[in-house]
Amino acid sequence: MIEKQLRKYIIPNMIAMTSISCYILADTYFIAAAQGANGITALNLVLPVYGLIFAIGSMIGTGAATRYSLSKHIGARDYDQYFTNALIWTMIISIIFVFAGIFFPGVILKAMGADQTILEIGHTYTRIILCCTPFFMMNYSMTAFVRNDGAPKIAMTATLISGISNIILDYIFMFPMHLGMAGAALATGMSPVISMMICMIHYLSKNNTVRVIKMLPSLKKLISSCQLGIVSFVGEIASGLTTMVFNFLLLKLTGNVAVAAYGIIANIALVGIALLNGVAQGLQPLASEMHGKKEYDQEKKIYRYSLLLGIFIALVLIILILIFGDKIIRIFNSEYSRPLARLANQGIRLYFVGFLFAGINIVTAGFYSAIGKSKASSLIAVSRGIILIILFAFGLSWCFGLTGIWLAFPAAEMTTLCLSMLISKTTMKKHS
């Protein structure tokens, strides 16, 4: 059954993606315990930069792996070049971030809205994160190709163990070793290294079909890969861009406490987004294979099954937040700040309504990317993750103040759903 095959990919990928978001949550928890609300604010101001690094790495790695899978199943001669090309380009691009980390971490933090207090707390954290960019970016390619080469469990194990290691190292570096924010950054920077080491189990095995070959970097192949990786890019960059816009608006409306409240909400929301991205990325290898073989009935089954799973996950998330939202927020409010608790409790319930629509949008965009419909997937991804949420953030905050900011995410996702349904009717007719 196609459902059984699909679960083989989706479940490990959901676990892997969730582990990434969980170690970001762990960062938030330990930073809150060590540095309080100012620490969370500093972390939240750095997240857009962190998101950009992850977005580029994800776009190149996931896109190249998807292009590799599609090319391999249609018998293209150059399919084995996409892995090497992805590694080369991630190294080239990461140099820019390393340079910025060495020379301009303070400038970047100020640009994100940091005052002098936040600058002192977050300076070292920003420098270390930026200098670890090559590891973050390369890890996306390593895990994506392992997953597409028929070893999703190894990719899951790599991400899961690296996430657990990050949480353990967070505690060791920040408390027994008293390294503070620098310790959190070091723990996060070591995590992708552990992941890549575990991925080598597959690359060194007899089951591996992915090869590193001698070649010059190909811009054409990079662009071709990125066209199919745009959904992954937007999935990662969206939270960063949203965080940056929300931070500026919140600083203007209320100040650092509101940014800290949003920092808690955003990092909890990352778990939900990770679960949905896990479904979207997990369906990719099988959907690409069915599309390459022109088995369109199976392709549609993959989409329907994945969509139902995405809706189920979204409903569970909303119910959990409605019941346990205040208790979850309390975990991250180490100073027991009443203003922080009040703002976060109000915001999280409004914000999480958007997941009902996001579940459909993320899975649909991921499916279209998997079958090579880059324009459809890009339109959905860019609309929900960048254009609409920014427009609604400015528009609704102007009309309703702080409440409008919390409602921007649901409004953007609901509007995108209308667009997604229109695209689906047009696209799916071609395979009827």
Side-chain angles (χ1 to χ4, degrees):
M1 290 178 63
I2 196 71
E3 290 86 356
K4 185 177 180 180
Q5 290 179 269
L6 190 58
R7 285 195 293 271
K8 174 186 171 184
Y9 286 94
I10 285 182
I11 293 174
N13 213 56
M14 285 175 61
I15 295 171
M17 294 297 293
T18 305
S19 73
I20 295 174
S21 63
C22 284
Y23 77 64
I24 294 174
L25 266 183
D27 268 354
T28 307
Y29 172 76
F30 287 124
I31 287 171
Q35 302 286 347
N38 284 337
I40 298 176
T41 302
L43 174 65
N44 208 44
L45 293 179
V46 177
L47 279 180
V49 180
Y50 195 57
L52 179 60
I53 293 168
F54 271 45
I56 295 173
S58 180
M59 178 174 63
I60 296 173
T62 305
T66 304
R67 187 64 72 184
Y68 164 86
S69 184
L70 287 169
S71 300
K72 185 178 181 180
H73 285 106
I74 64 173
R77 293 182 178 179
D78 61 349
Y79 75 89
D80 59 346
Q81 295 183 10
Y82 284 100
F83 179 61
T84 305
N85 196 61
L87 294 181
I88 293 172
W89 278 106
T90 52
M91 289 302 298
I92 292 171
I93 294 170
S94 65
I95 291 171
I96 300 169
F97 289 90
V98 173
F99 182 83
I102 295 171
F103 296 104
F104 305 113
V107 174
I108 292 170
L109 263 179
K110 286 181 181 178
M112 294 293 104
D115 57 22
Q116 189 59 39
T117 300
I118 303 302
L119 187 63
E120 290 175 4
I121 293 173
H123 186 276
T124 304
Y125 183 90
T126 307
R127 169 168 283 162
I128 294 171
I129 289 296
L130 286 169
C131 288
C132 291
T133 298
F135 306 134
F136 295 131
M137 286 191 177
M138 191 176 295
N139 183 47
Y140 269 102
S141 294
M142 296 280 282
T143 53
F145 274 86
V146 167
R147 185 171 59 247
N148 277 263
D149 200 33
K153 289 185 179 179
I154 292 179
M156 175 202 73
T157 302
T159 310
L160 186 61
I161 292 177
S162 70
I164 294 170
S165 300
N166 187 91
I167 294 170
I168 295 170
L169 291 172
D170 258 333
Y171 173 76
I172 293 171
F173 290 159
M174 294 188 73
F175 294 99
M177 295 182 68
H178 302 290
L179 294 178
M181 293 284 285
L186 286 170
T188 302
M190 291 177 67
S191 176
V193 178
I194 294 169
S195 175
M196 287 188 286
M197 289 172 64
I198 296 170
C199 283
M200 291 305 297
I201 294 172
H202 175 73
Y203 287 116
L204 296 176
S205 75
K206 61 181 181 180
N207 297 322
N208 174 46
T209 64
V210 180
R211 302 282 183 265
V212 175
I213 61 175
K214 290 183 179 180
M215 62 173 289
L216 293 173
S218 169
L219 184 59
K220 182 179 179 180
K221 281 186 171 55
L222 174 67
I223 294 171
S224 178
S225 298
C226 291
Q227 285 175 338
L228 296 183
I230 193 69
V231 173
S232 295
F233 176 85
V234 174
E236 296 288 351
I237 198 66
S239 60
L241 279 175
T242 303
T243 300
M244 184 171 66
V245 171
F246 279 35
N247 284 345
F248 281 120
L249 292 172
L250 290 166
L251 284 169
K252 185 178 179 181
L253 284 171
T254 312
N256 284 344
V257 176
V259 174
Y262 175 64
I264 293 171
I265 295 169
N267 282 307
I268 294 170
L270 278 176
V271 178
I273 295 294
L275 285 167
L276 295 171
N277 281 333
V279 177
Q281 291 186 21
L283 67 84
Q284 180 266 309
L286 200 56
S288 296
E289 181 182 344
M290 294 301 108
H291 187 74
K293 293 178 178 179
K294 298 184 179 180
E295 295 184 13
Y296 299 128
D297 287 339
Q298 297 291 76
E299 182 183 300
K300 289 179 183 179
K301 284 183 181 179
I302 291 169
Y303 175 58
R304 285 195 295 267
Y305 183 87
S306 302
L307 198 60
L308 288 172
L309 182 57
I311 294 170
F312 174 76
I313 290 169
L315 288 171
V316 170
L317 288 169
I318 293 169
I319 292 169
L320 287 175
I321 289 300
L322 289 175
I323 298 173
F324 302 110
D326 55 339
K327 293 180 177 63
I328 295 170
I329 288 167
R330 201 176 301 152
I331 295 170
F332 301 96
N333 188 9
S334 63
E335 297 174 320
Y336 303 103
S337 167
R338 288 185 178 180
L340 178 61
R342 178 177 55 82
L343 290 174
N345 277 313
Q346 177 200 38
I348 197 167
R349 285 168 172 79
L350 295 174
Y351 193 92
F352 264 71
V353 171
F355 273 96
L356 183 59
F357 314 112
I360 300 171
N361 295 331
I362 292 172
V363 171
T364 301
F367 173 73
Y368 288 142
S369 175
I371 63 173
K373 304 292 182 182
S374 58
K375 289 183 180 179
S377 65
S378 299
L379 185 59
I380 294 170
V382 172
S383 294
R384 64 166 291 272
I386 299 176
I387 297 173
L388 289 176
I389 194 164
I390 291 175
L391 290 175
F392 277 117
F394 280 104
L396 293 177
S397 66
W398 184 74
C399 294
F400 305 109
L402 191 61
T403 301
I405 294 179
W406 305 137
L407 289 172
F409 175 64
E413 294 292 352
M414 184 172 64
T415 306
T416 303
L417 178 58
C418 297
L419 175 65
S420 177
M421 291 171 67
L422 182 63
I423 292 171
S424 293
K425 285 182 179 179
T426 305
T427 305
M428 296 307 284
K429 281 180 180 179
K430 296 179 182 180
H431 298 323
S432 299

